[in-house]
Amino acid sequence: MPVVRAFKWLATLVLAVIAMVILFIALFGWNWLRPPIEKFALNKTGRSLAIQGDLTLKFAWPLPRFQARDVTFANPAWAKEPLMLNSRAVEVTLDLTALLARRIEFPQVHLERPVVMLEQNPEGRKSWLLDLNQTDESARIEIGLLSLDQGTLGFDDAASKTRLRAELSTRQPDAAASVYGLDFSVQGQFKGLPVKAQGSGAPVLALRDETRPYALKIDADLGRTHVRAKGQVTSLQKISALDMAVALRGDNLDQLFPLIGIATPSTRAYVTDGHLVHAGNRWQYDKFKGRFGDSDMAGSIKVTTGGQRPMLVAVLNSNLLDIADLGPLIGARPGNVKAARLAAPANTTAILATTAPPVPRVTPARVRVLPDLPFNTERWGSLDADVHLHAKSIGRASDLPLDNLTAHMLLRDSVLTLNPLDFGLAGGHLSAAITLDGSKKPIQARARVKAQKLQLAKLIPGVKLNQASIGQVNGQFDLSGAGNSVGAMLASANGRAGLVVAGGQISRLMMEKLGLHLWEMLALSLSGDQLIELRCAVADFEVRQGTMRPNTLLLDTSVTTISGTGSIDLAQERLDLTLNQRTKTTSPLALRSPIYIRGSFARPVAGVDKGRAAVRALGAVALGLVNPLLALIPLIDPGPGKDSDCGRLLAPGKPPASSKEAKAAAQK
């Protein structure tokens, strides 16, 4: 029986201890735990935890619930805000099983009127990490579900130029929006951009729950980008999944780079509306539609992370692509050419100007035509890309008749390739393969372009003739250069460029104007224009260090041969060409003077040699004093010029002619 007596004695002792504990709690509550908890927090974090109100406990295994009133927790000494947390009441459930594994996890947390201030300093120390140096990523309290009735949340990160302040409040969900019970508004700066946002969410924030989607809708302005989104997010801390309808509006798509960290192309003002889905390492903006400038665009964009860099795959389709919207993609300044031409004198492009225009000096203020805005190759390394684009028609291209654009862009290791870049041009086809190596400083570029069956009449839309009778243009360009903009690449370009027209018909009035045959111009103006035989046209340029010089520049018709010499300076955007005419028929009234084409690309000037014109005019006046009929002699172009050797110039498989060969062929 001693064993029975011992057992009774032990049971009595245990009951006595329990009774004493119950009596102690009844008399003193749980507040006696406040000093040990505060001391433990100070030793572990080096920061002060103060529980100034009552501490209560509702025990349940394995998730007891603690409630503490008037709680403050200090920020590290380096932080600008003294307190990380100041709350009227904090209620948490503690996971005892995780605690046995030496992890602190709070499956549920409720804060009453909290003010939470989080901060990261330039050295990377984070105030929400609870080790002494705030650098150990594992030294944090894991929170599952967070709810609050009303509060303020702040976040500061000087290194990323971010300072955010959010006001949060709860309400009773209404029938129209039963899933929403939390309203918030945010102001401040995010990555240097001003931020203003408002929205609603579910009353309970699922910070780590991988099974419970969180309802969210938001309307935000980030810099000059407006975002409107509505849908569900799973795990607000990790964003492990997302399913939202998203609408974007902004001035330029490249303004998204500071927000998403992925290079986006430069565009005009845009608006899009689509479906954003995220799962695992995949983000997809699907079935979106929108406008970029005056162009419509639709398709899907997928970004896959987890590799060396994100991989973007996009399929884009447009019914109408405005040519002006392509300008920002290649670094063109909007409105430059138009502004220059509006400022040009009315007679600068007149063929019959009475002066041979001087070559203008290059001034820094002169408007440039070639795109000169630099590519931001630093962003090219932020991702790889595979983009397909198709546009059925291209708008505002009456002076450059384009249609049916197809492009395939690859970006790998900062090397951008466009191959193919195909589109219809003037009833024909233009195909190109372009490579820009952004890993080199400056960018190393290579462009190979092939033109096939372009209709001359559509390239010269002002000639109102039988369009089907005009010849076809074919050509090839092979250029390489270095520079950080299209203009800089062309300024250093080397290679060849050539266009040929074999046979066809052309406007006689246009050719008589080029031949400066005043009598024929007057007659055709009265009787109407005619079509004449176009035997051949050849433009074969050698390009060295950005200067184009013609090996052959020839236009041969049944009435006139036009040959050209000179240069085109791509670096200075300057023209210096001379066209010489040789008529094949006698003209009773002609100026017989070379035509000079000079000036800038934006403001070309064409005119005749005023010296020669003056000599002929003085000769006509002098002879007219002797006999009025003799006054016409200096103005007669006796001809006859000879046909050029078009067969030799256009021989298939023949290499480009040298300057001497081309000149000899043109004179035959």
Side-chain angles (χ1 to χ4, degrees), residues 242-565:
L242 183 144
D243 188 341
M244 305 190 82
V246 176
L248 295 171
R249 184 178 72 246
D251 293 342
N252 192 327
L253 202 59
D254 72 356
Q255 294 173 356
L256 292 178
F257 179 77
L259 308 179
I260 63 177
I262 294 176
T264 48
S266 182
T267 67
R268 298 170 72 193
Y270 69 92
V271 56
T272 73
D273 194 338
H275 185 204
L276 182 63
V277 178
H278 166 55
N281 64 348
R282 178 177 58 85
W283 294 77
Q284 186 158 343
Y285 191 41
D286 200 20
K287 298 179 181 178
F288 77 86
K289 295 180 180 179
R291 300 196 68 83
F292 295 80
D294 294 321
S295 305
D296 69 89
M297 195 68 68
S300 64
I301 300 173
K302 181 174 69 174
V303 177
T304 304
T305 60
Q308 184 177 0
R309 60 181 67 87
M311 178 66 190
L312 181 147
V313 177
V315 177
L316 308 175
N317 296 285
S318 174
N319 290 316
L320 177 61
L321 181 65
D322 194 308
I323 191 68
D325 296 327
L326 297 177
L329 297 176
I330 58 173
R333 298 178 185 270
N336 264 13
V337 178
K338 182 178 179 181
R341 288 176 176 168
L342 289 176
N347 66 341
T348 55
T349 56
I351 287 291
L352 297 181
T354 58
T355 62
V359 178
R361 292 183 178 180
V362 180
T363 61
R366 195 184 70 200
V367 175
R368 301 185 68 86
V369 173
L370 298 177
D372 62 344
L373 293 177
F375 293 105
N376 191 349
T377 56
E378 297 299 326
R379 296 183 179 182
W380 291 11
S382 67
L383 83 164
D384 291 334
D386 186 343
V387 180
H388 291 264
L389 168 65
H390 177 69
K392 293 181 180 178
S393 60
I394 299 180
R396 292 187 184 179
S398 59
D399 56 341
L400 188 62
L402 299 167
D403 58 40
N404 199 30
L405 169 67
T406 299
H408 181 205
M409 186 200 79
L410 282 175
L411 180 63
R412 293 282 193 279
D413 299 324
S414 296
V415 178
L416 188 149
T417 303
L418 283 169
N419 187 14
L421 174 60
D422 291 353
F423 47 86
L425 171 61
H429 181 74
L430 200 68
S431 60
I434 300 172
T435 301
L436 304 177
D437 189 347
S439 66
K440 306 290 179 58
K441 305 297 181 185
I443 300 172
Q444 303 294 311
R446 173 90 184 268
R448 288 167 290 176
V449 183
K450 187 174 183 179
Q452 294 176 300
K453 299 181 179 180
L454 311 185
Q455 296 181 21
L456 185 60
K458 292 186 177 181
L459 287 174
I460 313 173
V463 181
K464 298 179 180 179
L465 294 170
N466 181 1
Q467 303 295 309
S469 301
I470 302 299
Q472 294 180 340
V473 181
N474 297 280
Q476 283 187 316
F477 302 82
D478 192 343
L479 300 173
S480 60
N484 291 328
S485 69
V486 171
M489 294 170 192
L490 291 173
S492 63
N494 295 290
R496 300 298 289 269
L499 291 172
V500 298
V501 181
Q505 294 176 298
I506 197 168
S507 162
R508 179 169 184 173
L509 178 58
M510 184 174 69
M511 295 309 301
E512 300 293 6
K513 285 183 177 180
L514 289 173
L516 303 177
H517 297 157
L518 306 182
W519 180 265
E520 286 78 1
M521 290 166 55
L522 177 60
L524 290 171
S525 297
L526 295 175
S527 64
D529 200 359
Q530 303 171 8
L531 286 169
I532 59 173
E533 180 189 5
L534 171 61
R535 300 186 66 252
C536 67
V538 180
D540 176 28
F541 286 90
E542 184 176 4
V543 185
R544 290 189 179 276
Q545 292 300 310
T547 299
M548 300 176 64
R549 298 187 184 278
N551 290 327
T552 307
L553 187 55
L554 175 72
L555 179 62
D556 190 51
T557 72
S558 58
V559 300
T560 305
T561 298
I562 307 293
S563 61
T565 59

Side-chain angles (χ1 to χ4, degrees), residues 362 366 368 491 569-574 600-601:
V362 180
R366 195 184 70 200
R368 301 185 68 86
D569 190 334
L570 299 176
Q572 303 299 337
E573 297 192 8
R574 184 177 61 190
S600 68
F601 289 1

Side-chain angles (χ1 to χ4, degrees), residues 1 3 9 81 83 113 134 142 243 253 364 378 435 459 480 493 505 542 555 568 587 621 651 655:
M1 302 304 296
V3 174
W9 181 84
E81 297 288 343
L83 296 179
R113 296 186 178 276
Q134 300 86 49
E142 299 292 349
D243 188 341
L253 202 59
E378 297 299 326
T435 301
L459 287 174
S480 60
Q505 294 176 298
E542 184 176 4
L555 179 62
I568 300 174
S587 175
V621 171

Side-chain angles (χ1 to χ4, degrees), residues 586-592 612-613 615-639:
T586 301
S587 175
L589 189 61
L591 290 180
R592 281 197 292 164
R612 291 192 184 188
V615 169
R616 291 185 180 277
L618 289 175
V621 171
L623 291 174
L625 294 177
V626 178
N627 186 326
L629 294 177
L630 297 177
L632 297 177
I633 293 177
L635 302 180
I636 294 174
D637 189 344

